[in-house]
Amino acid sequence: MVSCHDTIVVLDFGSQYTQLIARRIRESHVHSIILPSTASLETIQANRPKGIILSGGPASVTSAGRPEWSKAIMKEGLPILGICYGMQLIAQSMGGRVGRAKHREFGRAELRVRDGSDLFRGLGEKTPFSVWMSHGDRIETLPPGFKSIALTANSPIAAMKSVNRKHRLYGLQFHPEVVHTTHGARILKNFVRHICEARPTWTMGSFLHDSVEQIRRQVGREKVLCALSGGVDSTVAAAMTHRAIGKQLTCVFIDNGVMRKHEVKQLKQAFRSFHFRAGTQARPYIRMVDASEQFLRALGRTTDPEKKRKIIGRQFIKAFEREARNIGNVRCLVQGTLYPDVIESVSHRGPSATIKTHHNVGGLPARMKLRLVEPLRELFKDEVRVLGKELGLPDDVIHRHPFPGPGLAIRVLGAVTPARADMLREADAIFLDELRVQGLYRQTWQAFAVLLPVRTVGVMGDQRTYEHVIGLRAVTSVDGMTADWAPLPQPFLAHVANRIINEVPGVNRVVYDISSKPPSTIEWE
Ligand code: XMP
């Protein structure tokens, strides 16, 4: 379907930053769509783009294995901006020469602007600013009719444009889409708003409106099931779907027996106050299913993290299948899948290495021939929070920390016995309560306790103890793809550790995790 907004097409050559480009365009209130680099000319044209952005990518334009693309789009007279690999592609296609750089550039560089019109409009030519580089190739010779419009110490052609006005081709050797590039958002805005003259009609409100329409069209009169976890993603996806199709939607919450302390009770209360449908008091139908025994039985004494994840994934599928049968004639499944979950399928590169088997109800659609409704698949977590606000969801839902589908099963390291799960629940509740009381909850992206599979010696009241260790993990992040450990105040950590050791029987030691992601991950399993 062609959008009613002016659209920028982003061709993805496999950069890890492609969605960030789309996101920056949205921040300029312009609509964009990402297509694989191999998209045909007809597909690109069908979106009636006002301009094209060619992303970066891991390939080299000089190597045989580089991705194919519809070069003919360059003849359409549309503004085209190539970023990194995309710039080199334009240069090579227009008769320039690209070669291996003597000095590869990764990380920060200082950019000096030579031509402060169009792309660098408003940024001046006097003061250099920081840009983020990540390239091994560089342009050795500009194509005829092009000029360099900015440089760094190692790249005399850090940005270029065609002087021939017939073409309107631009290139940036650095990445304007990453936050480390000081004026990156402004540069992309200059491209989409001033060079492409795309109208700024995209807002979260317009996204919501368009998505609701799209869900209605996709679902028709069919019955729809939503796997509601109580987290912000599935709640926002459910709220949008409910706004679109009302009573056709049934939400199912499965208690898997590895939820946090009082969580199921709190979610029940929260769900009661949900009035997703704008302007009405209609509530979505939410089934609360207690499958805890079934999950815990299946977990048994399993200790291997991947096996635990797979067992939980399978149990979720079973539980949802049962519910779908009870509802009868379910044809669609709503999931709160975000962009970081779909990154591989958009890129031409194919799937990346499996670090952890993330559980969702992934096996269900294929087994039950369900169509997937994924209204959030283009968004990042912080954008979903803005959308939640637009939908009028309560603040404590919008700002809930992410919680993994396999729940505490991957935070109780080793076997998940009821006693060990309870010990973790108590420690975790103390940590989270204190974060809230001290106003630190919103300053961390995610925080939780883990129970380690070791015991250590301690001394309590002159007695030797040989008890369990609790690890505390708190991270800052934007999207969970990368994260840093949160430097929580030392007196706060001391207070939490003291409370846990005094109040949780069986624990005699608390440690704080100071690892970033990468190389660690956020969860321990
Ligand atoms: P990692 O541990 O991979 O986690 O750095 C990144 C983010 O994903 C969450 N996570 C999951 N979420 N199902 C989910 O829905 C899962 O299986 C799962 N595993 C990890 C994790 O809590 C963090 O926010």
Side-chain angles (χ1 to χ4, degrees), residues 309 356-359 402 404-406 445-446 480 517 521-523:
R309 284 173 169 276
K356 297 175 184 185
T357 308
H358 272 226
H359 127 81
W445 196 77
Q446 196 171 12
K517 172 185 178 175
T521 52
I522 296 177
E523 303 288 345

Side-chain angles (χ1 to χ4, degrees), residues 72-376:
I73 194 73
M74 299 216 309
K75 297 204 184 109
E76 301 287 298
L78 286 168
I80 301 183
L81 170 66
I83 295 175
C84 196
Y85 175 89
M87 172 190 188
Q88 293 157 10
L89 206 55
I90 293 176
Q92 197 193 44
S93 308
M94 298 302 290
R97 198 161 60 82
V98 177
R100 205 90 203 119
K102 234 191 260 131
H103 302 283
R104 297 187 313 162
E105 271 187 301
F106 290 99
R108 197 177 301 281
E110 289 297 297
L111 187 85
R112 235 164 0 99
V113 172
R114 279 178 169 155
D115 174 347
S117 61
D118 41 40
L119 263 191
F120 297 116
R121 181 178 142 142
L123 299 178
E125 293 173 30
K126 300 223 167 58
T127 326
F129 57 89
S130 293
V131 296
W132 197 255
M133 293 281 192
S134 178
H135 66 112
D137 288 352
R138 72 174 202 178
I139 296 170
E140 303 288 356
T141 315
L142 279 168
F146 277 71
K147 73 171 191 176
S148 164
I149 53 173
L151 71 159
T152 67
N154 287 323
S155 294
I157 311 169
M160 67 174 193
K161 75 173 187 186
S162 57
V163 276
N164 175 349
R165 291 203 63 81
K166 186 171 97 200
H167 279 124
R168 299 203 283 167
L169 301 174
Y170 299 82
L172 297 172
Q173 187 55 76
F174 58 90
H175 289 272
E177 66 275 27
V178 304
V179 286
H180 303 83
T181 292
T182 309
H183 298 298
R186 175 67 193 261
I187 295 166
L188 283 171
K189 185 174 176 182
N190 281 342
F191 179 70
V192 301
R193 295 274 295 274
H194 300 298
I195 296 175
C196 301
E197 296 178 344
R199 283 168 304 156
T201 52
W202 192 97
T203 60
M204 209 39 108
S206 73
F207 175 79
L208 177 58
H209 176 269
D210 295 350
S211 303
V212 164
E213 288 298 313
Q214 199 175 330
I215 294 170
R216 272 191 201 128
R217 267 196 309 274
Q218 188 185 353
V219 164
R221 308 201 63 77
E222 306 288 3
K223 281 196 206 166
V224 179
L225 177 70
C226 174
L228 189 62
S229 72
V232 60
D233 308 341
S234 65
T235 308
V236 168
M240 286 169 84
T241 311
H242 188 251
R243 188 172 278 197
I245 56 165
K247 281 189 183 151
Q248 284 164 255
L249 172 72
T250 302
C251 299
V252 175
F253 170 83
I254 308 275
D255 176 1
N256 58 10
V258 274
M259 303 300 284
R260 287 168 290 195
K261 192 176 177 187
H262 301 316
E263 187 160 29
V264 176
K265 207 165 85 195
Q266 284 162 0
L267 285 176
K268 266 187 193 159
Q269 268 166 9
F271 290 158
R272 256 183 238 129
S273 68
F274 282 0
H275 298 286
F276 288 163
R277 218 156 147 80
T280 78
Q281 288 301 295
R283 260 192 269 136
Y285 182 45
I286 302 176
R287 290 164 87 105
M288 304 287 289
V289 179
D290 181 359
S292 48
E293 259 182 46
Q294 167 200 322
F295 275 77
L296 292 174
R297 207 175 326 114
L299 276 169
R301 300 199 66 86
T302 310
T303 55
D304 180 78
E306 273 300 280
K307 283 193 185 136
K308 285 190 202 170
R309 284 173 169 276
K310 287 192 172 131
I311 289 171
I312 299 222
R314 271 200 301 274
Q315 292 304 317
F316 266 114
I317 290 178
K318 268 188 167 176
F320 279 108
E321 269 179 345
R322 219 175 24 237
E323 289 311 305
R325 270 197 304 274
N326 289 342
I327 302 164
N329 283 327
V330 172
R331 292 279 176 268
C332 306
L333 178 76
V334 181
Q335 289 199 148
T337 318
L338 304 190
Y339 169 67
D341 310 329
V342 292
I343 187 164
E344 300 95 19
S345 56
V346 176
S347 158
H348 78 275
R349 279 179 303 172
S352 54
T354 303
I355 310 296
K356 297 175 184 185
T357 308
H358 272 226
H359 127 81
N360 49 28
V361 280
L364 194 62
R367 268 169 70 152
M368 296 195 56
K369 302 198 172 63
L370 294 178
R371 286 205 303 273
L372 273 179
V373 178
E374 295 179 311
L376 312 178

